[in-house]
Structures are given as structure tokens and as C-alpha cells.
Amino acid sequence: MSAALIFSGLIALMLTGMPISIALGLTVLVFLFTMTAVPIDTVALKLFTGIEKFEIMAIPFFILAGNFLTHGGVARRMINFATSMVGHWHGGLGLAGVIACALFAAVSGSSPATVVAIGAVILPAMQRQGFPKQFGAGVITTSGALGILIPPSIVMVMYSVATSGMQATGPDGQIVSSASVGELFMAGVIPGLILASLLAATTWWRAYKFGYPRLARANWVQRWQAFRKAAWGLLLIVIVIGGIYSGLFTPTEAAAMSAVYAFIIAVFVYKDLKFSDLPRVLLSSANMSAMLLYIITNAVLFSFLMTHENIPQALGEWMVSSGLNWWMFLIAVNILLLAAGNFMEPSSIVLIMAPILFPVAVRLGIDPVHFGIMIVVNMEVGMCHPPVGLNLYVAAGITKMGITELTVAVMPWLMTMLAFLVAVTYIPEISLFLPRLLGM
């Protein structure tokens, strides 16, 4: 009964057009103050302590690093390097776009930032080369989604924060804790590389099928020069992933390091970012960080209400007693998350759904790390389909195409992503191989 009232209230408020973060907070406060005896000071304390977590500091730092890199010429140099390596293949510039998105994803942590940074440079070049606008838009919109799968990833931090401190009982009675940010980052490497390869294969096949243009083959001197110019940006991948794996610093410290490093190379090495541009970049980063932190604060309250009303535990008991097994549960979760992606953005979905679904997943024997990566891949798909796919709107701004036209354009790559989602869902080793290999 409680769950029906809570979710009915939340959906009703969202249907009025109210921002999700405010709808979340209002639903929780109304229910707590009218249907429970929770003291008001407990609610205030939850609001304060909800974002008092070390891991959350990674979010503004990764956003800041991504903005420095977006405005600092790093994307252009990555595109030049990727083009020198694969530009002579069928659909060379499209393939270069996929590779450049994968590389930029490994330093930014954000899908919209990846679409903006790579798309703004490579889409005009593809049109000048004779590629249809729809082909370029399909490539960049979907490849940009790699920004939340290839570490570092802001959505992975969100999942870790949403389930932080949660413990659930596994099918054997063992207590299972939530996944750390470091585990999720390592788990995202192999899935990210596989998805990038699948998107590249789709791009190559369509270019081969329709006879799209190819560039002249670059010689090794040109490739070396392109690599040398992009090396400062590529080194950030080594700093973040290498630093976390080696134990030199935590993911949050890696985020701070990446922000400082991105500032140095953008301002002093590449010199594409002027000191006069810094206030605009800092303000943009602060706006994005404030928005996400406000969503997190309200989502923490929502999670507290769920726990207080014993909803996740009751859901788990019902699923186990009704004979629902793990693979049926994963089908239901995929359908639920893909449906939620139709009207909510990824951060809100993760922060609302993860605390509810996590205990049930553990109860059914699903590894928290595998479950987290599956949720992230669902969010990738959601960013590329209407009506609220963030990547679609960002790409629409760059290409001046309508959402309907873009939806048709991304369809071949979106089908590839859905097939990959099925593989990630039912082959846990895709996500778990690297963390286990590293002893995490």
C-alpha cells in the first residue's frame, strides 16, 4: 500500500511537468509528514548527511575535467589521431568518430560532453567529405554514450553512492555489500571496449554497404605526429585508471587529479583555453554539479523513505516466494529501466531505482558489480532514444536535425546496443573478469 501511494504521488507530480528532483523531494516530505511519525529533525539530518560522502566529491571534479577538455582542444587532437589510424577504411571518418568518442569517454566521464566535444568537430568534416548527415549523427549520438560506460563514469559514481552502505543477504545467507567506485570503474573497461568495437563494426558495415567515402592512408610519420599531439590528452587515461589500479589514489582523488591535469594541458600545454574563458567554464561546471547534487540529495531522502517503509525487503520476499529466478528478474529490470528511460534522465533513474533493486538482486544471487554495469548499459540505451534521450537533444543542437529524424538515424546503432545489453545481462564475466583478475 505504501509503495503504491509513494509511486502514484511521484508519477502524478512528474506528469505536471515538475522537475524530477523537486517531485522526488515533495513526494517524500508529504508522505513522511502525513503518513509516518518520523521526526522533522531526522529528515533535516538525512538531507545534510545524504551528500556528506567522500565519493560524491568525484562528480564535480570529473565534470570540471570534462569541461576543461571539451574547451581545450583535446577532442580535436584525439580525432586527428583516430583519423590517421583508420581513416582509410570504409567510412573512415565515422570509424574515427567512434574511436575518438571512446578515447574522450576515458577522460571525461560524461556522455553529453563526449557528444559535444567530438560531434562539433567531426560532424562538419564528415559532411564535407560527402557522408549523409544522418549517418554522422547516428555514429556520434550512440558512440557518445560510451562516456558513461568507459571509466571514469559519473553514472557509476551515482550507482555507488545510491547503494553506499547498503548490505543485503545473498541466497546462501551471506551478507553482501554494495560495489565500490573502483570496482565499477575496472568492471566497465572490457564492456566499454566491446561496445566500442560493436559500434565501429556497425559503422564499417553500413559504410561498406552504401559505399561511403574513405580517406587516403596516412603514413607512419603522420600517425606518429598525430599521436604526439594527442599524447597529453591520452596520458590522462593512464593517470586515472593506472592511479586507481596501482593504489596511488582513490577514484575521488583521481577525479581531482584529472581536473588539475586537464586545466594544465588545456591552458599551458595546448593553450586553446584562455584565462578569460575560465569563469565561463567554472560556472558551467558549477551549474551542472549543483543540479546533480540537488538530485542526489532528494534521491537520498527517497531511498530513506523506501527503507523506512521496508519496501525493498518486501519486494525481495515477494519475488523469492513467487518463484521468480534471477534471469526473469533481470528481464524485468531491463524492461523497467528502458521504460523509465522514456521520461527520466539517467542520474535520476539510478538514484531512485538502484536502492530498491539492489537488495532484490543480491537476494537472487546477482553480483552487485555486474548489476551496476547492467544498469549503466541500460542508461546508455536510454540516452539514445526518445523522448528524453540526452544525447539526442545534444546531437540535435549540433546537427540542426529534428528528434524524429535523429531517432531514425540512430536506429542501426541502437539495435547493436540493445543486443549488447542482452549479452551484458546474461554473461556476467564480461563485467566481472577484470575486477576478479585484479583481485578486487
Side-chain angles (χ1 to χ4, degrees):
M1 184 62 183
S2 297
L5 285 172
I6 293 166
F7 282 101
S8 297
L10 177 60
I11 292 169
L13 289 175
M14 288 195 297
L15 287 175
T16 66
M18 184 180 292
I20 292 171
S21 54
I22 297 176
L24 265 178
L26 198 55
T27 301
V28 172
L29 292 176
V30 169
F31 189 90
L32 283 175
F33 295 149
T34 59
M35 306 290 287
T36 72
V38 176
I40 191 169
D41 54 347
T42 302
V43 177
L45 187 64
K46 269 291 169 188
L47 278 170
F48 179 76
T49 58
I51 57 172
E52 196 183 25
K53 294 175 181 171
F54 186 61
E55 296 88 350
I56 291 179
M57 290 177 61
I59 294 171
F61 282 127
F62 278 132
I63 290 172
L64 182 58
N67 279 338
F68 279 140
L69 295 171
T70 302
H71 295 88
V74 175
R76 186 177 70 253
R77 290 168 175 83
M78 287 182 172
I79 290 170
N80 291 339
F81 169 60
T83 303
S84 71
M85 299 303 293
V86 298
H88 58 285
W89 292 8
H90 289 283
L93 272 179
L95 286 173
V98 176
I99 294 172
C101 282
L103 292 173
F104 196 81
V107 295
S108 72
S110 167
S111 286
T114 304
V115 174
V116 169
I118 305 300
V121 177
I122 206 165
L123 287 175
M126 291 180 74
Q127 285 185 258
R128 287 195 298 270
Q129 284 289 325
F131 287 91
K133 183 188 288 189
Q134 291 83 354
F135 178 80
V139 170
I140 299 304
T141 303
T142 50
S143 299
L146 292 167
I148 62 170
L149 181 58
I150 296 177
S153 163
I154 292 172
V155 174
M156 288 182 189
V157 177
M158 292 282 195
Y159 172 78
S160 181
V161 167
T163 58
S164 176
M166 293 185 71
Q167 291 186 332
T169 306
D172 56 356
Q174 185 180 3
I175 300 297
V176 179
S177 300
S178 57
S180 69
V181 176
E183 288 174 321
L184 291 166
F185 278 8
M186 290 303 127
V189 172
I190 291 178
L193 294 175
I194 292 174
L195 181 56
S197 301
L198 292 173
L199 293 174
T202 305
T203 302
W204 178 89
W205 168 246
R206 290 188 64 78
Y208 175 77
K209 180 180 177 182
F210 296 108
Y212 292 152
R214 304 159 69 175
L215 300 177
R217 182 189 292 268
N219 59 43
W220 285 104
V221 173
Q222 292 170 321
R223 290 174 177 176
W224 168 250
Q225 289 174 342
F227 171 76
R228 189 167 53 82
K229 291 176 181 176
W232 287 103
L234 298 173
L235 187 60
L236 186 52
I237 303 171
V238 179
I239 291 174
V240 173
I241 303 301
I244 294 171
Y245 165 59
S246 64
L248 283 176
F249 35 71
T250 65
T252 304
E253 291 164 348
M257 285 288 295
S258 68
V260 173
Y261 181 84
F263 167 76
I264 292 171
I265 63 170
V267 175
F268 298 108
V269 179
Y270 290 149
K271 299 180 181 177
D272 289 328
L273 186 66
K274 308 300 180 187
F275 276 102
S276 58
D277 297 325
L278 289 181
R280 178 167 53 87
V281 173
L282 292 171
L283 186 60
S284 171
S285 302
N287 283 337
M288 178 65 74
S289 300
M291 181 191 76
L292 291 177
L293 290 173
Y294 185 63
I295 293 172
I296 290 171
T297 304
N298 287 292
V300 166
L301 263 188
F302 189 79
S303 176
F304 166 71
L305 178 59
M306 293 289 102
T307 307
H308 182 270
E309 294 299 307
N310 220 32
I311 291 171
Q313 293 82 354
L315 182 63
E317 292 289 346
W318 174 78
M319 286 188 167
V320 172
S321 62
S322 63
L324 191 74
N325 56 31
W326 68 274
W327 63 267
M328 294 167 66
F329 169 73
L330 291 180
I331 289 177
V333 169
N334 280 332
I335 293 171
L336 175 65
L337 294 178
L338 291 173
N342 285 314
F343 59 93
M344 294 169 67
E345 51 88 32
S347 301
S348 302
I349 297 173
V350 171
L351 289 167
I352 293 171
M353 297 296 184
I356 300 171
L357 299 173
F358 172 82
V360 183
V362 171
R363 182 75 183 270
L364 295 172
I366 300 166
D367 188 281
V369 176
H370 167 225
F371 191 62
I373 297 301
M374 190 195 84
I375 288 179
V376 171
V377 176
N378 268 289
M379 298 304 98
E380 281 192 298
V381 176
M383 298 187 88
C384 301
H385 69 70
V388 297
L390 283 177
N391 284 14
L392 284 180
Y393 283 94
V394 173
I398 297 171
T399 60
K400 310 302 180 191
M401 293 168 64
I403 295 299
T404 304
E405 189 181 4
L406 259 175
T407 302
V408 175
V410 304
M411 202 53 65
W413 293 270
L414 193 58
M415 292 297 103
T416 301
M417 294 174 77
L418 285 169
F420 176 71
L421 172 60
V422 174
V424 164
T425 300
Y426 292 109
I427 310 176
E429 282 305 309
I430 294 177
S431 307
L432 300 178
F433 174 75
L434 189 57
R436 285 175 177 168
L437 182 68
L438 300 177
M440 301 183 76

